[in-house]
Amino acid sequence: GLRKKEVNVLCLGLDNSGKTTIINQLKPSNHSSPLGPFSEEWKHVSQTQTQEIVPTIGFNIEKFKSSSLCFTVFDMSGQRRYRNLWEHYYKYNHAVIFVIDSSDKLRMVVAKEELDTLLSHEDIRSRKIPVLFFANKMDLQDAMTAVKVSQTLCLENIQDKPWYICGSSAIKGEGLQEGLDWLQEQFG
Ligand code: GTP
Ligand code: MG
């Protein structure tokens, strides 16, 4: 039979942006999940959702399978002291999910710096890998819109890679499906 396509996905973004919360939402849960369709189609390989999310140390690896794809997600720590780990995984990855805390206006410039460093890295620069942006924490009152986040990060300058941004609220489970549908299409 056909082998499932193996897709390694690197999940990046500053600490506290919501990376682990997003990935946790993709796992099946015992409660009625707002991501029902995703959870039904995709089988998470190890455990179910965890109740408490703690800052990631180093990184965690999670696997999700659909009928045609096998996603291995590298959930990296966004803390400054661990960001130098990111680049060691660039060459093994086929897609990037970049998460932004849309309410963290003070650190938007830091997020942009890290994104620019990522995009100019030799293991990323020359490859047409898809980049999915989540403008996360849309549920917060002072969150910037996805359009504003996109402008602030100058995403229109990315011309050599497919990219997509969607607003999300990881704690409500909103916007995640839209982003993942897009990511899946890139490997369809
Ligand atoms: P590091 O592992 O340190 O890099 O952080 P992270 O990007 O994995 O962030 P994490 O998922 O640990 O979330 C950080 C905090 O933000 C937690 O308290 C989450 O509950 C909260 N959070 C995540 N997503 C959202 C969201 O969409 N809205 C709100 N209001 N809070 C969120
Ligand atoms: Mg984390």
Side-chain angles (χ1 to χ4, degrees):
L2 285 171
R3 290 277 309 270
K4 285 189 206 295
K5 200 181 275 182
E6 295 274 348
V7 180
N8 294 339
V9 182
L10 201 51
C11 190
L12 305 175
L14 300 187
D15 50 297
N16 201 49
S17 56
K19 299 177 293 298
T20 304
T21 309
I22 288 173
I23 290 158
N24 193 51
Q25 280 282 15
L26 307 182
K27 301 179 186 177
S29 80
N30 302 319
H31 317 284
S32 57
S33 165
L35 279 181
F38 190 88
S39 303
E40 273 163 39
E41 187 195 353
W42 291 77
K43 298 275 175 281
H44 181 250
V45 177
S46 51
Q47 339 98 310
T48 50
Q49 279 185 6
T50 29
Q51 292 304 310
E52 206 164 332
I53 307 277
V54 295
T56 307
I57 306 294
F59 63 95
N60 291 313
I61 294 177
E62 306 280 355
K63 274 182 184 276
F64 300 91
K65 285 182 179 171
S66 74
S67 49
S68 59
L69 298 177
C70 177
F71 271 142
T72 301
V73 182
F74 293 70
D75 173 20
M76 306 302 291
S77 169
Q79 288 177 57
R80 188 177 287 280
R81 76 187 107 150
Y82 293 116
R83 282 179 216 154
N84 59 358
L85 287 178
W86 295 2
E87 65 176 344
H88 298 292
Y89 298 88
Y90 291 167
K91 58 169 155 300
Y92 306 110
N93 278 274
H94 312 110
V96 172
I97 298 177
F98 196 93
V99 183
I100 301 112
D101 178 347
S102 312
S103 71
D104 191 356
K105 299 192 178 92
L106 275 178
R107 290 204 304 164
M108 206 53 79
V109 60
V110 183
K112 183 176 188 314
E113 265 171 34
E114 294 294 352
L115 174 64
D116 291 346
T117 303
L118 163 75
L119 294 175
S120 60
H121 191 280
E122 57 177 346
D123 293 338
I124 296 284
R125 197 174 50 213
S126 55
R127 297 167 61 213
K128 291 189 180 359
I129 64 170
V131 186
L132 169 63
F133 295 91
F134 281 119
N136 195 36
K137 306 202 183 182
M138 278 299 152
D139 56 287
L140 296 178
Q141 198 106 58
D142 55 347
M144 293 162 75
T145 63
V147 170
K148 187 79 184 127
V149 170
S150 176
Q151 286 168 347
T152 307
L153 299 181
C154 302
L155 299 189
E156 72 278 9
N157 290 347
I158 307 174
Q159 288 173 354
D160 56 345
K161 291 175 181 49
W163 62 271
Y164 187 76
I165 184 166
C166 57
S168 66
S169 168
I171 48 174
K172 292 186 172 178
E174 289 168 5
L176 304 180
Q177 184 73 61
E178 181 191 333
L180 288 157
D181 285 348
W182 177 84
L183 195 60
Q184 217 179 326
E185 278 166 27
Q186 307 307 306
F187 298 97

